[in-house]
Amino acid sequence: MRSPIPAYLEEVLNDTVDGGEVASYIPELARANPDRLSAALCMADGTIYGAGEVETRFSIQSISKPFVYALALQENGVQAVMERIGVEPSGETFNSASLDPKTQRPDNPMVNIGAIATHALVMPDGTCAERSEAVRRGLSAFAGRQLQIDQAVYSSEISTAFRNHSLAYLVRSVDGFEQDPREIVEGYTRQCSLLVDVRDLAVMAMTLANSGVNPVTKERVVHADVAQQVLSVLTTCGMYDATGDWMTQVGIPAKSGVGGGVIGALPGQVGAAVFSPRLDDVGNSVRGVQAFERFSKDMGMHLLKAPPLSKDVVRTATMRSTALGPVHAVELQGPLRFSSAERVMRRLEQVPHDNYGVALDLTRVSSADEVSRRMLLEAMRSLRNEGHRIYLVDPKGSVPDRDLGDGSLPLQAASLDTLDTPRNH
Ligand code: GLU
């Protein structure tokens, strides 16, 4: 069978209708071929699907901002970065000269003034060249490929970067960073000039959506907490002044850049990227926005779409007779998280105080998050304290640490049929 996904991507691209204008305030961008069009998806196991002119490279521009924010968070910690740069939507254009009147911080790291301050937090004690190289290496780790700077775009932008210099001097004037503002703009402009294609961007987005682990190289690029912080900011500030519209229509944490790229990162599911240089009034790629609207609708990708209810988590609950006496056997299935574990707790509450054994069979549990593991351990502890022998059938190790709180472990059995021959007894 041939996967329908590449053909679907082609169809979505073909259905988009172009409009708008390429960005012209950076002279080199005005020379870009406006008809280029490509899209890519990257899945959690590193599988990549592409459509259109996937080989075409373009400058990353503002799409670099979330990744450099991630590097700054990783290096300095969330608290230290928050002291310098906020996380509130600014409600102003991307290059406005505004600082929070009370805190004197840039509103967020996605507007230029915040991104410039963020750049300064990578290798703060290094030279301009060292900082640029750290950013290039960091973004390359997100992409799983060594990225290079487009010198023509860099020269073109730096020669006209009067506005960004004024923003850097403004942040410097309130001690938002300690370095020479000219060096920070130089490094920030290099960061924006890194060349990427849509596949790079899809992998970078999936790395954020994959809790900071690059799905292709398997390298942990940033902590899971950092990835979550970045996605949170993208949810409220990623699409210039259209982020509210975007979140209601598309519902995927996203970032766009004036080069015509757009990325979307749907946690745990997919990283997506589209490239088409013509931009709408707020600066988002016209065809990029349309393609993402389709992805969201066709593939049910809205972040706030409620996941299916986990009502069948208790597969069976039966009495079993074993050589050691009767046992209440409860077989669980599917993903365990707070809401499904709560159902398990309610079922276990019904176990009578009869001193019979209680067996939990997790063979069919597909995943168990931290809170559900703690809830299961708490339930087993409580049942044990009521006088029940506790058996656990857990061949996949869904509950890795089985300590019931006092150094004792539940009895391990290979299956519900072999409860009378527990493995650790
Ligand atoms: N390098 C661009 C600038 O600072 C990036 C802007 C963008 O993509 O929004 O003006």
Side-chain angles (χ1 to χ4, degrees), residues 25-26 29 60-63 65 94-95 110 112 116 157 164 188-189 192-193 240 255-259 283:
Y25 76 102
I26 300 173
L29 291 186
I60 189 168
Q61 297 299 340
S62 272
I63 301 173
K65 292 173 180 173
F94 76 100
N95 60 3
M110 299 304 138
N112 278 12
I116 288 168
E157 180 167 359
N164 284 340
Y188 165 77
T189 309
C192 291
S193 309
Y240 301 116
K255 185 74 197 90
S256 60
V258 289

PDB file of all heavy atoms in Angstrom, residues 25-26 29 60-63 65 94-95 110 112 116 157 164 188-189 192-193 240 255-259 283, ligand 1:
ATOM      1  N   TYR A  25      11.172  44.893   3.326  1.00  0.00           N
ATOM      2  CA  TYR A  25      12.019  45.783   4.133  1.00  0.00           C
ATOM      3  C   TYR A  25      13.427  45.231   4.285  1.00  0.00           C
ATOM      4  O   TYR A  25      14.349  45.949   4.652  1.00  0.00           O
ATOM      5  CB  TYR A  25      11.364  46.078   5.491  1.00  0.00           C
ATOM      6  CG  TYR A  25      11.429  44.964   6.498  1.00  0.00           C
ATOM      7  CD1 TYR A  25      12.356  44.982   7.539  1.00  0.00           C
ATOM      8  CD2 TYR A  25      10.567  43.869   6.416  1.00  0.00           C
ATOM      9  CE1 TYR A  25      12.421  43.956   8.468  1.00  0.00           C
ATOM     10  CE2 TYR A  25      10.628  42.847   7.331  1.00  0.00           C
ATOM     11  CZ  TYR A  25      11.558  42.893   8.357  1.00  0.00           C
ATOM     12  OH  TYR A  25      11.622  41.878   9.270  1.00  0.00           O
ATOM     13  N   ILE A  26      13.600  43.919   4.017  1.00  0.00           N
ATOM     14  CA  ILE A  26      14.948  43.362   3.899  1.00  0.00           C
ATOM     15  C   ILE A  26      15.158  43.165   2.393  1.00  0.00           C
ATOM     16  O   ILE A  26      14.496  42.309   1.780  1.00  0.00           O
ATOM     17  CB  ILE A  26      15.059  42.017   4.650  1.00  0.00           C
ATOM     18  CG1 ILE A  26      14.738  42.235   6.143  1.00  0.00           C
ATOM     19  CG2 ILE A  26      16.441  41.401   4.462  1.00  0.00           C
ATOM     20  CD1 ILE A  26      14.656  40.955   6.967  1.00  0.00           C
ATOM     21  N   LEU A  29      15.160  39.757   0.656  1.00  0.00           N
ATOM     22  CA  LEU A  29      13.913  38.973   0.686  1.00  0.00           C
ATOM     23  C   LEU A  29      12.993  39.379  -0.464  1.00  0.00           C
ATOM     24  O   LEU A  29      12.243  38.567  -0.995  1.00  0.00           O
ATOM     25  CB  LEU A  29      13.172  39.161   2.018  1.00  0.00           C
ATOM     26  CG  LEU A  29      13.803  38.554   3.273  1.00  0.00           C
ATOM     27  CD1 LEU A  29      12.855  38.703   4.457  1.00  0.00           C
ATOM     28  CD2 LEU A  29      14.167  37.092   3.061  1.00  0.00           C
ATOM     29  N   ILE A  60      15.417  31.544   7.858  1.00  0.00           N
ATOM     30  CA  ILE A  60      14.475  31.139   8.914  1.00  0.00           C
ATOM     31  C   ILE A  60      13.741  32.339   9.515  1.00  0.00           C
ATOM     32  O   ILE A  60      12.603  32.235   9.937  1.00  0.00           O
ATOM     33  CB  ILE A  60      15.223  30.331   9.994  1.00  0.00           C
ATOM     34  CG1 ILE A  60      14.259  29.703  11.000  1.00  0.00           C
ATOM     35  CG2 ILE A  60      16.270  31.178  10.715  1.00  0.00           C
ATOM     36  CD1 ILE A  60      14.912  28.658  11.913  1.00  0.00           C
ATOM     37  N   GLN A  61      14.410  33.490   9.536  1.00  0.00           N
ATOM     38  CA  GLN A  61      13.852  34.735  10.096  1.00  0.00           C
ATOM     39  C   GLN A  61      13.251  34.497  11.496  1.00  0.00           C
ATOM     40  O   GLN A  61      13.850  33.839  12.310  1.00  0.00           O
ATOM     41  CB  GLN A  61      12.847  35.361   9.112  1.00  0.00           C
ATOM     42  CG  GLN A  61      13.500  35.767   7.796  1.00  0.00           C
ATOM     43  CD  GLN A  61      14.608  36.808   7.977  1.00  0.00           C
ATOM     44  OE1 GLN A  61      14.677  37.503   8.987  1.00  0.00           O
ATOM     45  NE2 GLN A  61      15.518  36.898   7.016  1.00  0.00           N
ATOM     46  N   SER A  62      12.025  34.972  11.705  1.00  0.00           N
ATOM     47  CA  SER A  62      11.477  34.936  13.072  1.00  0.00           C
ATOM     48  C   SER A  62      11.220  33.532  13.592  1.00  0.00           C
ATOM     49  O   SER A  62      10.972  33.364  14.786  1.00  0.00           O
ATOM     50  CB  SER A  62      10.166  35.712  13.134  1.00  0.00           C
ATOM     51  OG  SER A  62      10.436  37.052  13.399  1.00  0.00           O
ATOM     52  N   ILE A  63      11.238  32.524  12.720  1.00  0.00           N
ATOM     53  CA  ILE A  63      11.011  31.161  13.217  1.00  0.00           C
ATOM     54  C   ILE A  63      12.197  30.721  14.081  1.00  0.00           C
ATOM     55  O   ILE A  63      12.101  29.784  14.865  1.00  0.00           O
ATOM     56  CB  ILE A  63      10.727  30.187  12.044  1.00  0.00           C
ATOM     57  CG1 ILE A  63       9.502  30.667  11.273  1.00  0.00           C
ATOM     58  CG2 ILE A  63      10.498  28.767  12.538  1.00  0.00           C
ATOM     59  CD1 ILE A  63       9.222  29.890   9.998  1.00  0.00           C
ATOM     60  N   LYS A  65      13.182  32.468  16.511  1.00  0.00           N
ATOM     61  CA  LYS A  65      12.978  33.028  17.860  1.00  0.00           C
ATOM     62  C   LYS A  65      12.602  31.989  18.912  1.00  0.00           C
ATOM     63  O   LYS A  65      13.193  31.969  19.996  1.00  0.00           O
ATOM     64  CB  LYS A  65      11.936  34.156  17.809  1.00  0.00           C
ATOM     65  CG  LYS A  65      12.423  35.390  17.041  1.00  0.00           C
ATOM     66  CD  LYS A  65      11.293  36.406  16.868  1.00  0.00           C
ATOM     67  CE  LYS A  65      11.740  37.638  16.102  1.00  0.00           C
ATOM     68  NZ  LYS A  65      10.612  38.538  15.788  1.00  0.00           N
ATOM     69  N   PHE A  94       5.416  43.567  15.378  1.00  0.00           N
ATOM     70  CA  PHE A  94       6.569  42.757  15.766  1.00  0.00           C
ATOM     71  C   PHE A  94       7.818  43.569  16.049  1.00  0.00           C
ATOM     72  O   PHE A  94       8.684  43.136  16.798  1.00  0.00           O
ATOM     73  CB  PHE A  94       6.849  41.686  14.700  1.00  0.00           C
ATOM     74  CG  PHE A  94       7.517  42.217  13.457  1.00  0.00           C
ATOM     75  CD1 PHE A  94       8.884  42.068  13.271  1.00  0.00           C
ATOM     76  CD2 PHE A  94       6.780  42.854  12.476  1.00  0.00           C
ATOM     77  CE1 PHE A  94       9.502  42.539  12.127  1.00  0.00           C
ATOM     78  CE2 PHE A  94       7.401  43.340  11.334  1.00  0.00           C
ATOM     79  CZ  PHE A  94       8.760  43.195  11.158  1.00  0.00           C
ATOM     80  N   ASN A  95       7.922  44.771  15.428  1.00  0.00           N
ATOM     81  CA  ASN A  95       9.167  45.518  15.648  1.00  0.00           C
ATOM     82  C   ASN A  95       8.940  46.788  16.457  1.00  0.00           C
ATOM     83  O   ASN A  95       9.691  47.746  16.342  1.00  0.00           O
ATOM     84  CB  ASN A  95       9.851  45.812  14.309  1.00  0.00           C
ATOM     85  CG  ASN A  95       8.973  46.643  13.402  1.00  0.00           C
ATOM     86  OD1 ASN A  95       7.878  47.051  13.797  1.00  0.00           O
ATOM     87  ND2 ASN A  95       9.447  46.901  12.198  1.00  0.00           N
ATOM     88  N   MET A 110       8.917  36.699  21.255  1.00  0.00           N
ATOM     89  CA  MET A 110       8.585  36.522  19.838  1.00  0.00           C
ATOM     90  C   MET A 110       8.545  37.844  19.077  1.00  0.00           C
ATOM     91  O   MET A 110       8.597  37.863  17.853  1.00  0.00           O
ATOM     92  CB  MET A 110       7.244  35.782  19.686  1.00  0.00           C
ATOM     93  CG  MET A 110       7.256  34.396  20.292  1.00  0.00           C
ATOM     94  SD  MET A 110       8.570  33.337  19.647  1.00  0.00           S
ATOM     95  CE  MET A 110       9.142  32.559  21.136  1.00  0.00           C
ATOM     96  N   ASN A 112      10.435  41.423  18.072  1.00  0.00           N
ATOM     97  CA  ASN A 112      11.869  41.634  17.851  1.00  0.00           C
ATOM     98  C   ASN A 112      12.611  42.079  19.104  1.00  0.00           C
ATOM     99  O   ASN A 112      13.702  41.595  19.397  1.00  0.00           O
ATOM    100  CB  ASN A 112      12.078  42.658  16.736  1.00  0.00           C
ATOM    101  CG  ASN A 112      11.970  42.017  15.368  1.00  0.00           C
ATOM    102  OD1 ASN A 112      11.530  40.870  15.254  1.00  0.00           O
ATOM    103  ND2 ASN A 112      12.348  42.747  14.341  1.00  0.00           N
ATOM    104  N   ILE A 116      15.689  39.981  20.539  1.00  0.00           N
ATOM    105  CA  ILE A 116      17.040  40.550  20.618  1.00  0.00           C
ATOM    106  C   ILE A 116      17.575  40.356  22.042  1.00  0.00           C
ATOM    107  O   ILE A 116      18.717  39.932  22.247  1.00  0.00           O
ATOM    108  CB  ILE A 116      17.008  42.040  20.178  1.00  0.00           C
ATOM    109  CG1 ILE A 116      16.784  42.103  18.661  1.00  0.00           C
ATOM    110  CG2 ILE A 116      18.267  42.771  20.591  1.00  0.00           C
ATOM    111  CD1 ILE A 116      16.438  43.476  18.122  1.00  0.00           C
ATOM    112  N   GLU A 157      20.245  42.411   5.425  1.00  0.00           N
ATOM    113  CA  GLU A 157      19.469  42.834   6.593  1.00  0.00           C
ATOM    114  C   GLU A 157      20.295  43.732   7.515  1.00  0.00           C
ATOM    115  O   GLU A 157      19.786  44.740   8.011  1.00  0.00           O
ATOM    116  CB  GLU A 157      18.928  41.631   7.369  1.00  0.00           C
ATOM    117  CG  GLU A 157      18.123  42.101   8.572  1.00  0.00           C
ATOM    118  CD  GLU A 157      17.274  41.036   9.250  1.00  0.00           C
ATOM    119  OE1 GLU A 157      17.279  39.887   8.792  1.00  0.00           O
ATOM    120  OE2 GLU A 157      16.615  41.393  10.236  1.00  0.00           O
ATOM    121  N   ASN A 164      16.165  47.513  14.353  1.00  0.00           N
ATOM    122  CA  ASN A 164      16.602  46.533  15.353  1.00  0.00           C
ATOM    123  C   ASN A 164      17.720  47.092  16.233  1.00  0.00           C
ATOM    124  O   ASN A 164      17.783  46.782  17.427  1.00  0.00           O
ATOM    125  CB  ASN A 164      17.031  45.226  14.679  1.00  0.00           C
ATOM    126  CG  ASN A 164      15.816  44.420  14.228  1.00  0.00           C
ATOM    127  OD1 ASN A 164      14.710  44.638  14.724  1.00  0.00           O
ATOM    128  ND2 ASN A 164      16.009  43.505  13.287  1.00  0.00           N
ATOM    129  N   TYR A 188      21.927  38.484  16.303  1.00  0.00           N
ATOM    130  CA  TYR A 188      20.501  38.239  16.060  1.00  0.00           C
ATOM    131  C   TYR A 188      20.216  38.170  14.550  1.00  0.00           C
ATOM    132  O   TYR A 188      19.445  37.317  14.094  1.00  0.00           O
ATOM    133  CB  TYR A 188      19.677  39.358  16.733  1.00  0.00           C
ATOM    134  CG  TYR A 188      18.257  39.414  16.255  1.00  0.00           C
ATOM    135  CD1 TYR A 188      17.315  38.485  16.705  1.00  0.00           C
ATOM    136  CD2 TYR A 188      17.850  40.377  15.330  1.00  0.00           C
ATOM    137  CE1 TYR A 188      16.009  38.519  16.242  1.00  0.00           C
ATOM    138  CE2 TYR A 188      16.546  40.413  14.871  1.00  0.00           C
ATOM    139  CZ  TYR A 188      15.632  39.487  15.319  1.00  0.00           C
ATOM    140  OH  TYR A 188      14.349  39.516  14.854  1.00  0.00           O
ATOM    141  N   THR A 189      20.877  39.025  13.793  1.00  0.00           N
ATOM    142  CA  THR A 189      20.648  39.039  12.341  1.00  0.00           C
ATOM    143  C   THR A 189      21.216  37.771  11.705  1.00  0.00           C
ATOM    144  O   THR A 189      20.608  37.193  10.795  1.00  0.00           O
ATOM    145  CB  THR A 189      21.266  40.311  11.715  1.00  0.00           C
ATOM    146  OG1 THR A 189      20.805  41.441  12.452  1.00  0.00           O
ATOM    147  CG2 THR A 189      20.867  40.463  10.255  1.00  0.00           C
ATOM    148  N   CYS A 192      18.732  35.056  12.257  1.00  0.00           N
ATOM    149  CA  CYS A 192      17.575  35.137  11.344  1.00  0.00           C
ATOM    150  C   CYS A 192      17.946  34.712   9.928  1.00  0.00           C
ATOM    151  O   CYS A 192      17.074  34.413   9.116  1.00  0.00           O
ATOM    152  CB  CYS A 192      17.024  36.561  11.319  1.00  0.00           C
ATOM    153  SG  CYS A 192      16.239  37.051  12.859  1.00  0.00           S
ATOM    154  N   SER A 193      19.268  34.706   9.616  1.00  0.00           N
ATOM    155  CA  SER A 193      19.704  34.398   8.243  1.00  0.00           C
ATOM    156  C   SER A 193      20.023  32.925   8.041  1.00  0.00           C
ATOM    157  O   SER A 193      20.497  32.553   6.956  1.00  0.00           O
ATOM    158  CB  SER A 193      20.963  35.206   7.904  1.00  0.00           C
ATOM    159  OG  SER A 193      20.772  36.554   8.201  1.00  0.00           O
ATOM    160  N   TYR A 240       2.296  36.695  15.186  1.00  0.00           N
ATOM    161  CA  TYR A 240       2.191  38.155  15.146  1.00  0.00           C
ATOM    162  C   TYR A 240       0.847  38.569  15.751  1.00  0.00           C
ATOM    163  O   TYR A 240       0.389  37.971  16.722  1.00  0.00           O
ATOM    164  CB  TYR A 240       2.365  38.676  13.705  1.00  0.00           C
ATOM    165  CG  TYR A 240       3.693  38.302  13.094  1.00  0.00           C
ATOM    166  CD1 TYR A 240       3.765  37.472  11.989  1.00  0.00           C
ATOM    167  CD2 TYR A 240       4.884  38.763  13.627  1.00  0.00           C
ATOM    168  CE1 TYR A 240       4.991  37.137  11.410  1.00  0.00           C
ATOM    169  CE2 TYR A 240       6.111  38.427  13.071  1.00  0.00           C
ATOM    170  CZ  TYR A 240       6.152  37.614  11.969  1.00  0.00           C
ATOM    171  OH  TYR A 240       7.359  37.269  11.420  1.00  0.00           O
ATOM    172  N   LYS A 255       4.692  29.350  14.746  1.00  0.00           N
ATOM    173  CA  LYS A 255       5.484  30.566  14.552  1.00  0.00           C
ATOM    174  C   LYS A 255       5.673  30.781  13.071  1.00  0.00           C
ATOM    175  O   LYS A 255       5.913  29.831  12.325  1.00  0.00           O
ATOM    176  CB  LYS A 255       6.863  30.417  15.232  1.00  0.00           C
ATOM    177  CG  LYS A 255       7.694  31.682  15.174  1.00  0.00           C
ATOM    178  CD  LYS A 255       7.189  32.750  16.132  1.00  0.00           C
ATOM    179  CE  LYS A 255       7.719  34.153  15.809  1.00  0.00           C
ATOM    180  NZ  LYS A 255       6.849  34.901  14.884  1.00  0.00           N
ATOM    181  N   SER A 256       5.595  32.032  12.665  1.00  0.00           N
ATOM    182  CA  SER A 256       5.868  32.340  11.266  1.00  0.00           C
ATOM    183  C   SER A 256       7.028  33.324  11.192  1.00  0.00           C
ATOM    184  O   SER A 256       7.425  33.906  12.200  1.00  0.00           O
ATOM    185  CB  SER A 256       4.623  32.929  10.607  1.00  0.00           C
ATOM    186  OG  SER A 256       4.271  34.106  11.285  1.00  0.00           O
ATOM    187  N   GLY A 257       7.574  33.481   9.998  1.00  0.00           N
ATOM    188  CA  GLY A 257       8.682  34.413   9.796  1.00  0.00           C
ATOM    189  C   GLY A 257       8.474  35.179   8.502  1.00  0.00           C
ATOM    190  O   GLY A 257       7.757  34.702   7.611  1.00  0.00           O
ATOM    191  N   VAL A 258       9.135  36.346   8.382  1.00  0.00           N
ATOM    192  CA  VAL A 258       8.920  37.160   7.182  1.00  0.00           C
ATOM    193  C   VAL A 258       9.516  36.529   5.925  1.00  0.00           C
ATOM    194  O   VAL A 258       9.230  36.970   4.821  1.00  0.00           O
ATOM    195  CB  VAL A 258       9.476  38.600   7.334  1.00  0.00           C
ATOM    196  CG1 VAL A 258       8.645  39.408   8.298  1.00  0.00           C
ATOM    197  CG2 VAL A 258      10.940  38.593   7.732  1.00  0.00           C
ATOM    198  N   GLY A 259      10.316  35.473   6.078  1.00  0.00           N
ATOM    199  CA  GLY A 259      10.821  34.764   4.909  1.00  0.00           C
ATOM    200  C   GLY A 259       9.739  33.929   4.228  1.00  0.00           C
ATOM    201  O   GLY A 259       9.941  33.424   3.125  1.00  0.00           O
ATOM    202  N   GLY A 283       1.804  39.779   8.359  1.00  0.00           N
ATOM    203  CA  GLY A 283       3.148  39.241   8.165  1.00  0.00           C
ATOM    204  C   GLY A 283       3.206  37.717   8.127  1.00  0.00           C
ATOM    205  O   GLY A 283       4.288  37.133   8.142  1.00  0.00           O
TER     206      GLY A 283
HETATM  207  N1  GLU B   1      15.085  39.327  10.842  1.00  0.00           N
HETATM  208  C1  GLU B   1      13.760  39.877  10.856  1.00  0.00           C
HETATM  209  C2  GLU B   1      13.734  41.152  11.635  1.00  0.00           C
HETATM  210  O1  GLU B   1      14.270  41.233  12.673  1.00  0.00           O
HETATM  211  C3  GLU B   1      12.815  38.866  11.392  1.00  0.00           C
HETATM  212  C4  GLU B   1      11.423  39.375  11.431  1.00  0.00           C
HETATM  213  C5  GLU B   1      10.366  38.328  11.292  1.00  0.00           C
HETATM  214  O2  GLU B   1      10.536  37.284  10.670  1.00  0.00           O
HETATM  215  O3  GLU B   1       9.281  38.628  11.838  1.00  0.00           O
HETATM  216  O4  GLU B   1      13.187  42.126  11.223  1.00  0.00           O
END
